[in-house]
Amino acid sequence: MKIKTPQPIRGTQDIFGEESLRFNHVVNKFDEIRKLYGFKRAEIPVFESTAVFARSLGETTDVVSKEMYSFPDRSGEQLTLRPEFTAGLTRAYLTSGWQQYSPCKIATHGPVFRYERPQKGRYRQFHQIDAEVIGAAEPEADVELLSLADQLLESLGIKQHVTLHLNTLGDSASREAWRAALIEYFQGHFDSLSQESQERLTRNPLRILDSKDPNDKIIAEKAPIIDDYLTEEAASFFKAVTTGLDAAGVAWMRDPRLVRGLDYYRHTAFEFITDQLGAQGTVLAGGRYDGLSEALGGNLTPAIGWAAGIERLAMLIDEPKEDAMNVAVIPLGEEAKNPAISILSKLRHAGISADMSWRGNMKRRMQKANSWGVRYAIILGDEELARNEATVRSMVTGEQQAIALDQIVDQILSELRNK
RNA sequence: GCGAUCGUAGCUCAAUUGGUUAGAGCGCCGGUUUGUGGUACCGGAGGUUGCGGGUUCAAUUCCCGUCGAUCGCCCCA
């Protein structure tokens, strides 16, 4: 009886070939830029106690109430695969002594999990790069974090496709006053709102502001904006952020209707949005979350962070070029196999990329060498071996010369340097 | 969770109004060349047409279900 191959789980992906090049290009650029800003690399678990996410993101948010992968482990403890990084990093800050490094500038990346309906640019296991500054109340932290994001997008060559939308949600006093005013305003237009927005009014009234329903949009345009409810401190904080961004040369656009889906956000909120990915236009987003630490039982710890979807960034960049192989080793016949392995090893230990086909006649192996884009082919046959030599063929010019086996590595090293 | 479109070799796609043995390009393996690539020519392997059921003399084609992908809503990165 034929065994059926198990199929991949809905919303997961296998990444290889060009996709993998793109994916890794994004990760590598992030690692490169993050060092320029003094952000330290951190690793945290893929799963946590469910409480880490349930308390911090807000029990009523969609992510917590219907999108988490939660399960009991063998001891009955309730665990959840991380749906984002911020809560786990904050938990680590509180439980692993990271407070001694405060303000803690952290970068990480890896898989995150959300049970959503998959689409292009939306997966159940997807990958984020993430940057956080934990333990800094200063607006300079906001500026630095946004500068990092901006420079990353620039170095990925997608800055021209992307706009930074910036808003403030105020401190908790501002936010509560604004929220109350919004509820009152939308209550007055309740019958004209879309059914979805009517539901949002009780669950997440700020979300009505970025509704896509055309009728909702008209109503939202006249809704009270946060500016009228900002405390003096909140207003001057936002001012410091925007003037700092101008000084750093980061282009931004005020979007008074920009809100965040998770409950922990305060003050600065932002999204880098592209028009090239359809409904999944948000490519990098975050904000300040001064209240999160207390929600996890810690002291008041001001913090700010962002996350970006690696898959979404990878779709926007130009196809990266992979470094071509330098050398192909081509043994002919049984006798040549081990000498070929020996040369291959010496080349690689000398820092020269080299590869060898394991099968096929000479023509096939030359074709393979050609497809690798190598500069040199080293041909090892009986005639060469008898003289302790190998034939080195330039794949560019077609010239061939016999070179003693013990001089091949040096010869190729010097020729590669001259290029 | 809701609505819509789609699903044919490893990949990208063909297959008249339902009609014989489901084709091509690329890739893979081999040959023209018993030791020479990027070109050309020849040959080969590889398919239960996503899966299950139904209508029909006959289904890749029509109907239902299911799984998956894509698009929009929702949500979000």
Side-chain angles (χ1 to χ4, degrees):
Chain A
M1 166 161 176
K2 174 124 167 93
I3 294 167
K4 271 200 193 123
T5 305
Q7 292 306 112
I9 301 301
R10 183 166 157 89
T12 63
Q13 1 163 35
D14 302 308
I15 302 170
F16 192 68
E18 185 193 331
E19 284 180 344
S20 178
L21 285 182
R22 291 171 171 275
F23 188 100
N24 282 297
H25 183 73
V26 171
V27 172
N28 292 340
K29 277 290 173 202
F30 176 58
D31 203 53
E32 184 184 315
I33 306 294
R34 141 254 135 172
K35 288 177 189 162
L36 298 176
Y37 285 76
F39 279 65
K40 305 296 185 196
R41 179 72 204 193
E43 311 300 333
I44 55 167
V46 165
F47 54 87
E48 299 268 359
S49 295
T50 297
V52 170
F53 305 110
R55 286 204 204 118
S56 60
L57 309 194
E59 306 272 0
T60 62
T61 60
D62 279 16
V63 169
V64 170
S65 62
K66 48 191 190 197
E67 294 178 3
M68 292 204 307
Y69 277 94
S70 296
F71 57 94
D73 74 1
R74 286 169 187 271
S75 74
E77 190 177 0
Q78 272 302 318
L79 305 179
T80 294
L81 297 179
R82 62 186 179 202
E84 54 122 46
F85 278 105
T86 304
L89 285 168
T90 302
R91 189 234 83 219
Y93 177 87
L94 296 174
T95 63
S96 295
W98 294 0
Q99 293 166 68
Q100 66 183 307
Y101 304 112
S102 184
C104 207
K105 301 202 285 186
I106 303 171
T108 192
H109 91 273
V112 292
F113 305 84
R114 290 181 200 173
Y115 190 87
E116 294 187 276
R117 177 89 173 254
Q119 280 181 33
K120 194 184 191 70
R122 193 167 93 179
Y123 308 96
R124 289 185 172 178
Q125 174 177 336
F126 63 105
H127 301 79
Q128 290 185 331
I129 51 179
D130 184 278
E132 314 278 345
V133 180
I134 305 180
E138 296 80 3
E140 285 90 336
D142 305 49
V143 173
E144 170 136 318
L145 199 84
L146 279 162
S147 300
L148 169 64
D150 188 67
Q151 188 168 347
L152 173 66
L153 296 174
E154 183 182 11
S155 76
L156 289 171
I158 58 182
K159 201 176 164 180
Q160 68 276 18
H161 303 309
V162 141
T163 314
L164 168 54
H165 293 238
L166 184 68
N167 196 19
T168 177
L169 304 172
D171 48 31
S172 47
S174 313
R175 183 171 160 152
E176 284 317 306
W178 181 40
R179 187 188 156 99
L182 279 175
I183 292 174
E184 195 191 332
Y185 172 80
F186 285 123
Q187 205 65 257
H189 296 80
F190 188 82
D191 293 335
S192 326
L193 288 173
S194 68
Q195 196 191 329
E196 265 145 6
S197 286
Q198 292 181 353
E199 286 163 18
R200 277 191 277 237
L201 189 52
T202 49
R203 272 199 14 248
N204 204 346
L206 304 196
R207 276 279 154 200
I208 301 175
L209 289 174
D210 59 7
S211 170
K212 283 173 191 160
D213 182 274
N215 212 21
D216 288 354
K217 278 186 172 176
I218 295 170
I219 297 170
E221 259 172 48
K222 298 213 181 81
I225 60 171
I226 181 69
D227 297 45
D228 299 330
Y229 298 87
L230 286 180
T231 61
E232 211 168 294
E233 295 90 325
S236 74
F237 185 92
F238 190 55
K239 185 78 188 160
V241 172
T242 57
T243 56
L245 288 175
D246 292 339
V250 176
W252 56 278
M253 196 195 100
R254 178 69 201 279
D255 183 352
R257 266 172 288 279
L258 175 73
V259 294
R260 306 268 61 224
L262 308 179
D263 282 358
Y264 53 59
Y265 285 106
R266 299 282 181 280
H267 287 292
T268 317
F270 53 87
E271 291 184 16
F272 286 83
I273 299 174
T274 177
D275 55 6
Q276 308 208 325
L277 291 180
Q280 278 68 242
T282 299
V283 117
L284 184 155
R288 190 161 264 286
Y289 52 94
D290 293 349
L292 176 53
S293 172
E294 287 176 304
L296 290 176
N299 296 325
L300 173 63
T301 308
I304 181 166
W306 56 250
I310 297 176
E311 289 87 348
R312 290 185 187 176
L313 291 172
M315 284 189 280
L316 290 173
I317 63 177
D318 294 333
E319 185 183 349
K321 290 266 176 287
E322 189 167 38
D323 293 340
M325 275 282 146
N326 280 319
V327 176
V329 177
I330 299 179
L332 300 172
E334 277 303 310
E335 293 298 307
K337 279 187 179 170
N338 282 325
I341 289 172
S342 168
I343 288 180
L344 197 56
S345 168
K346 284 174 186 144
L347 288 165
R348 289 166 171 170
H349 283 276
I352 300 167
S353 60
D355 208 350
M356 174 171 86
S357 297
W358 298 322
R359 58 165 171 264
N361 59 20
M362 184 172 196
K363 180 189 165 100
R364 285 297 157 194
R365 293 185 197 224
M366 288 296 287
Q367 282 177 347
K368 212 60 174 171
N370 197 59
S371 73
W372 294 336
V374 300
R375 294 243 260 278
Y376 300 98
I378 297 177
I379 299 159
L380 275 171
D382 297 341
E383 297 160 26
E384 288 91 340
L385 281 174
R387 296 192 303 270
N388 256 319
E389 290 178 346
T391 299
V392 176
R393 178 182 177 88
S394 163
M395 297 297 277
V396 182
T397 65
E399 285 166 23
Q400 299 192 168
Q401 57 182 137
I403 295 178
L405 286 181
D406 55 8
Q407 283 167 32
I408 282 186
V409 171
D410 287 343
Q411 176 77 19
I412 287 181
L413 260 184
S414 75
E415 288 197 31
L416 285 174
R417 255 197 291 273
N418 291 338
K419 286 291 153 71

